[in-house]
Amino acid sequence: MPAENSTLANMRTQMDRAKQYTEDVDDNVFTRMKHPERTLTVSLPILRDDGTLEVFEGYRCQFGGARGPYKGGVRYHPSASMEEVIALAGLMASKTALVGLPYGGAKGGVQCNPKELSRDERKRVTRRYTEGIRRMIGPKMDIPAPDMNTGPQEMAWMMDTYSVYEGYTVPEVVTGKPTEIGGTPGRVEATGRGVAIITDRILTHLDRSVENATVAIQGFGNVGSWTARLLAERGAHVVAVSDVSGGVYDPDGLDVVGLAEHVERGETVTSADEGDQISNDELLRLDVDVLVPAAVSHAITADVAADLRADIVVEAANGPTTPAADDVLVERDVPAVPDVLANAGGVIVSYLEWVQNTQEYTWTLAEVNADLERRITDAFDEMLAVYAEEETPDLRTAAYTIAIERNATAHSYRGLFP
Ligand code: GLU
């Protein structure tokens, strides 16, 4: 049994809430859909640079594969427990179904603090982890990708380690690679681009404009910083951002390009000479048009939901809002665009990378961005249509209604083995 309020318990609650709005979903199929198919735990003995040995734990969960190969990222984080990884894999199964990709859902993680690892140590962790899970991944089986604290370099090491065992180069075993070795243009910023597109869409839908909209972003890693830059490009004022060191605030808008360059040099947002210092809690409660949680799960609890002053929430992180917080937001009439849609840009462009790799054909950045925009806005429109037609309490329930129906249909066609 997952602990109360864990990401896994929350995900199952979200699915249960949507079930009543679905059509033709068999109860037995639905029961299956709430359980992961398999989860592997691997011990990773790693020689630290100082000569001592440390054993890290890593995981890969394949949650559901009814609609195609398992797909999902790998995160390096102290909170990457087995249960958290299972929940995040479940979110991926809903995300790929919602945006119509021919994939199931998976997730991986290594429980570690990557900020305490040197580059060489990260490389050893990545290679050992890849060896540990290599029997369960593969271009037609399960395709890892970046997530928190992993990026093109880790994907290059994963691809190389897998390829060494196969005896030839297998680019399509992971997505999010450097472009020089089979990555696609547009993947690094894809999740942030999707968040920016969806923020623009929800504002337009509510008869407002992204132009001059004020935005606060919790988290300034890959997703938060690209969301900030791409929203600023669309004319929004990103007035606050934060990271583990705390937040910075400027009511006239921060120089997010400068901040991103500062952070890319290994610095924190609070050590840049930008805006006034604020706490993470203050950032979540700022009076802004849009609040974007782009960090770990559970940032928006019922308490935060009760006092936040943003008009709209757009979830760039996975699992940032608890079900109790969802209830408060519904009561307060604050729309929240759910993670499974808002941050789907990453996996959409991962799919485009995988398609290019399997066809051994490359696309331009303009083609990739246009395809991303079409897929994510189509899914947004479908979610809004279900929200209006089924009168679901919130957008998350509408999104899950679609995802559950698609996964359930696939299960029904394929049947139960044996
Ligand atoms: N880690 C990203 C996510 O949570 C991307 C997964 C992928 O590209 O497979 O959606």
Side-chain angles (χ1 to χ4, degrees):
M1 280 288 284
E4 203 183 337
N5 252 329
S6 67
T7 313
L8 184 55
N10 290 350
M11 186 201 72
R12 287 183 176 146
T13 303
Q14 288 160 354
M15 290 178 76
D16 287 339
R17 287 180 175 188
K19 169 75 164 59
Q20 60 179 296
Y21 299 96
T22 59
E23 258 171 56
D24 298 331
V25 173
D26 181 88
D27 285 344
N28 288 343
V29 165
F30 186 63
T31 302
R32 281 180 74 187
M33 283 166 45
K34 290 198 286 184
H35 293 273
E37 290 179 19
R38 65 184 66 79
T39 309
L40 180 68
T41 301
V42 287
S43 285
L44 311 175
I46 302 299
L47 205 54
R48 300 296 300 255
D49 291 343
D50 66 5
T52 59
L53 185 120
E54 191 166 337
V55 181
F56 295 92
E57 208 162 79
Y59 316 93
R60 182 74 182 169
C61 171
Q62 296 174 339
F63 198 94
R67 298 182 61 265
Y70 306 97
K71 186 83 189 82
V74 174
R75 64 170 57 177
Y76 291 174
H77 199 267
S79 70
S81 65
M82 184 168 80
E83 195 182 297
E84 182 78 2
V85 165
I86 292 173
L88 295 166
L91 282 179
M92 287 308 300
S94 293
K95 193 183 301 184
T96 53
L98 175 67
V99 296
L101 301 177
Y103 286 138
K107 200 78 166 200
V110 176
Q111 199 169 76
C112 65
N113 184 353
K115 297 194 171 57
E116 286 167 7
L117 298 175
S118 68
R119 185 176 188 278
D120 268 356
E121 289 170 337
R122 266 192 303 122
K123 179 163 72 178
R124 290 198 284 277
V125 166
T126 305
R127 287 194 183 280
R128 187 73 196 214
Y129 172 69
T130 308
E131 195 292 315
I133 66 163
R134 77 184 163 85
R135 293 156 201 83
M136 81 195 271
I137 62 173
K140 293 189 192 311
M141 214 187 311
D142 180 354
I143 306 112
D147 198 81
M148 280 172 76
N149 298 319
T150 59
Q153 179 60 75
E154 284 73 21
M155 295 308 111
W157 289 328
M158 285 191 84
M159 187 272 261
D160 185 73
T161 306
Y162 184 86
S163 299
V164 164
Y165 282 98
E166 293 301 299
Y168 59 97
T169 298
V170 190
E172 63 272 33
V173 67
V174 292
T175 56
K177 301 175 291 292
T179 48
E180 293 81 355
I181 52 170
T184 184
R187 176 61 185 88
V188 170
E189 64 273 32
T191 310
R193 185 175 297 281
V195 177
I197 293 168
I198 289 301
T199 305
D200 192 335
R201 287 283 158 150
I202 188 77
L203 283 162
T204 308
H205 172 71
L206 298 170
D207 290 326
R208 303 166 70 140
S209 168
V210 70
E211 191 95 25
N212 296 323
T214 53
V215 183
I217 303 178
Q218 184 213 21
F220 205 65
N222 170 280
V223 177
S225 70
W226 277 109
T227 299
R229 282 174 274 184
L230 294 167
L231 277 173
E233 243 176 48
R234 287 172 188 247
H237 301 295
V238 179
V239 296
V241 302
S242 67
D243 62 16
V244 282
S245 70
V248 287
Y249 173 59
D250 181 341
D252 297 325
L254 297 160
D255 168 18
V256 288
V257 174
L259 265 175
E261 283 166 4
H262 179 75
V263 167
E264 265 157 33
R265 289 192 290 269
E267 301 287 339
T268 58
V269 293
T270 49
S271 67
D273 199 11
E274 268 289 311
D276 299 327
Q277 312 256 335
I278 55 167
S279 71
N280 233 300
D281 279 345
E282 286 168 324
L283 179 141
L284 292 170
R285 291 166 174 83
L286 282 175
D287 187 2
V288 285
D289 295 312
V290 185
L291 172 65
V292 180
V296 281
S297 34
H298 310 310
I300 304 184
T301 59
D303 287 346
V304 175
D307 337 315
L308 62 75
R309 288 183 290 160
D311 297 335
I312 303 166
V313 176
V314 178
E315 296 183 347
N318 285 311
T321 309
T322 66
D326 272 337
D327 291 338
V328 176
L329 294 178
V330 168
E331 201 167 297
R332 294 190 54 204
D333 219 3
V334 178
V337 184
D339 46 8
V340 285
L341 176 76
N343 71 28
V347 72
I348 291 173
V349 176
S350 274
Y351 167 65
L352 303 178
E353 178 173 328
W354 181 75
V355 165
Q356 291 173 73
N357 292 159
T358 53
Q359 297 182 346
E360 299 179 346
Y361 185 77
T362 56
W363 297 10
T364 62
L365 175 61
E367 287 170 315
V368 169
N369 285 344
D371 200 302
L372 161 62
E373 178 134 12
R374 176 180 65 79
R375 287 173 190 273
I376 203 161
T377 54
D378 282 356
F380 177 76
D381 292 343
E382 282 170 346
M383 178 187 72
L384 282 184
V386 170
Y387 176 66
E389 280 159 27
E390 303 296 334
E391 297 181 4
T392 59
D394 54 17
L395 297 172
R396 187 186 321 282
T397 311
Y400 269 95
T401 301
I402 298 169
I404 291 169
E405 282 179 356
R406 290 191 181 152
N407 274 321
T409 304
H411 274 289
S412 297
Y413 275 122
R414 294 182 62 162
L416 176 63
F417 177 85

